[in-house]
Each structure stands twice: as structure tokens, then as C-alpha cells.
Amino acid sequence: MERPIGIFDSGIGGLTVAKAISRILPNERFIYFGDTAHLPYGDKSKEAIQRYSKGISKFLIANNCKTIVIACNTASAISYKYLRDKYAGNVPVINVIDPIIEAVVANGTHKKIGLIATKATVQSGVYQEKMNRRNPGIAMEVLPTPLLAPMIEEGFSKDKISKTVIENYLSNPVFEGIDSLILGCTHYVLIKDEINDFFKGRVTLYDSTDIVAHKITEVFKSENLLSIKKSGDNHFYVSDITEGFQESTSRFYGDNIKLEHLKL
């Protein structure tokens, strides 16, 4: 089925998920929408996040997308249930939280796991609730890390500034003795190596890129949605465009791509 995949995020961090989808499902094309006019979602109200998510999803459905991928942990935590129920029987809606929880539980060896994410994601309690429901034997320690996403958006990674901020967060006593860590924001993939260095490789890191792409593959196979060949180009839209956003896309996506400005 050669209809596009619809992907959205609060900004351009979700391009890390889009890139993984493009690599693992090369026959698929997608429409990406980054809500850069309203980023970050992490400090917005629940009502605002749901309003933004509804508008973007309406745009993606209007453009014949065969699925909606919420490539944002905050929007996944706040808006997934609404979007899933609204489009039930029409298109599958995939979030970035459930596939990570499934992967952690499937590992079968973890006893204490940490989570770093935006304030809104942490306060929603969705990771804690889902983990407790799937495996109450895994202890979860959570920490809001509000400086990380804007730091990465501004290009501060792999330098003294990012190292100081990362070490300050990860040295928090709540993470003592963890055997794994969930990177609960699509931006954090860009500092995964630095996080791994902090833990000296002793902690298993989970992020949403390949895990979500493989989940989409499973869903598409079961619902006969896989494309036989790629027909058309990917499109990348943002609700606000600046030179900085354009320059940052290559860091998040890995290739030079053209952002199109679209105000919904």
C-alpha cells in the first residue's frame, strides 16, 4: 500500500525516528510535521498539547497517510489515547512509549531502570504506569531533564556544555544501581554516546528509533500495509522555520533535507 506514513513531533527531534523508519523500511515514504512554532511541548499544558496533536493529525489524515506515528514522547504521553480512539478502524496510531516498554520487558533481565524525559512526560506518569502493569517487578526511577532537549536543539552536544549538563542529571542519586536507562525524548539519541560514556557502558540504553521502526514493521505486516516499492518523495513540514532549524536537520536526520514551512 503506497500511501505515506504520517510522522509528527514537537520539533525536529522526531527526525531521528523518521530516519530509522526510512532505513528499516526503505520502500516507505512519509510526511513529517515538526511543530516548531510550539516547541518544546514539555512545558506546555495538557490541553495545548492535545490541541496541537489533533490539528497535526487532521492534516496528516487529509494527506492520505496510512498511519500516524507520534514521534514525540510528550505527545505520546498526552495525546495517544485520544488519537488512537478517534482513528480506530481508520488508521493505526503508533506512539514511541509502548514499543520501548515492550522491549524492556522482553529483555527479561532488568531489575531497576531509569527514565530521563521532559517534565510533561514524567508528570504524566505514563511510563511508570505502563511498566508497572507489564512487569511490576521492575523498579523505575524517573527524572525530568528539561535542559537537554533545548540544549540539543541549539547544537550543544559532544562538548563541555553538554557533558556538564548530562553529568549533572545522571549523577542524581535516584539512578544509583540502575541496570538500564530509557531515553524518553527523541532528541536524546544525539547524546546517546555521551550518556553511555558516563555509565561506562554498564547500563543498557533504550531509545525510540529502531525500536519504533521495527514496531511499525510488525503492524504493517499484520495489517497488510507494507509498500512494495517507494512511490514519491518524503516531505518535511514545520510550523515555523528559521535558519537554525534548517541547519539542525542534518544532525537529526543525517542528510541534508529541505524543510517546508506550513502553518496549520
Side-chain angles (χ1 to χ4, degrees):
M1 182 175 287
E2 278 69 45
R3 292 160 57 197
I5 297 172
I7 308 170
F8 79 89
D9 180 35
S10 59
I12 54 179
L15 288 172
T16 57
V17 176
K19 183 63 175 180
I21 294 171
S22 184
R23 186 180 69 254
I24 292 172
L25 292 167
N27 289 335
E28 303 293 340
R29 64 185 176 93
F30 58 79
I31 296 173
Y32 180 92
F33 191 94
D35 194 11
T36 49
H38 298 120
L39 67 83
Y41 278 7
D43 60 7
K44 300 295 189 299
S45 69
K46 178 179 178 179
E47 291 74 21
I49 294 167
Q50 288 186 337
R51 185 169 68 253
Y52 304 149
S53 300
K54 292 176 187 178
I56 296 168
S57 298
K58 184 177 180 180
F59 162 74
L60 295 174
I61 293 297
N63 280 271
N64 202 33
C65 290
K66 61 184 176 182
T67 189
I68 295 173
V69 179
I70 311 173
C72 170
N73 280 263
T74 302
S76 290
I78 303 299
S79 303
Y80 169 66
K81 287 183 179 179
Y82 170 83
L83 296 178
R84 178 200 62 191
D85 294 345
K86 179 176 178 59
Y87 295 111
N90 185 5
V91 298
V93 178
I94 298 171
N95 66 70
V96 293
I97 296 175
D98 285 315
I100 290 181
I101 296 295
E102 292 169 7
V104 171
V105 172
N107 179 281
T109 65
H110 299 310
K111 300 300 181 183
K112 184 179 181 181
I113 189 165
L115 166 71
I116 53 175
T118 66
K119 287 181 180 179
T121 298
V122 169
Q123 291 171 357
S124 74
V126 65
Y127 269 104
Q128 301 94 307
E129 184 273 327
K130 288 179 180 292
M131 182 62 73
N132 186 61
R133 181 156 44 85
R134 293 293 299 274
N135 189 338
I138 299 178
M140 176 174 280
E141 299 292 344
V142 302
L143 183 72
T145 50
L147 294 180
L148 291 183
M151 177 189 77
I152 296 166
E153 286 271 3
E154 293 297 326
F156 293 104
S157 61
K158 305 185 188 306
D159 58 21
K160 290 182 179 179
I161 294 175
S162 63
K163 184 177 181 181
T164 299
V165 175
I166 291 167
E167 289 182 351
N168 181 268
Y169 280 134
L170 299 183
S171 59
N172 191 293
V174 301
F175 289 148
E176 184 176 348
I178 61 171
D179 52 43
S180 47
L181 179 71
I182 295 172
L183 310 186
C185 175
T186 52
H187 288 68
Y188 299 173
V189 177
L190 295 190
I191 56 171
K192 189 174 182 177
D193 289 343
E194 293 174 82
I195 294 172
N196 190 53
D197 288 344
F198 176 85
F199 289 112
K200 296 180 169 48
R202 293 193 293 262
V203 169
T204 303
L205 303 181
Y206 288 90
D207 69 78
S208 55
T209 52
D210 288 6
I211 290 174
V212 171
H214 286 301
K215 179 65 177 182
I216 294 170
T217 304
E218 292 176 13
V219 171
F220 280 12
K221 286 181 178 178
S222 66
E223 300 199 19
N224 197 29
L225 291 173
L226 283 171
S227 294
I228 299 174
K229 62 179 180 179
K230 189 168 184 177
S231 56
D233 298 322
N234 299 323
H235 288 277
F236 303 85
Y237 297 100
V238 288
S239 53
D240 185 33
I241 192 163
T242 67
E243 186 176 336
F245 290 144
Q246 186 63 66
E247 291 175 352
S248 297
T249 56
S250 61
R251 290 189 293 109
F252 285 91
Y253 193 71
D255 297 321
N256 290 320
I257 56 177
K258 185 182 186 314
L259 299 178
E260 301 178 56
H261 185 203
L262 179 65
K263 186 175 181 180
L264 296 181

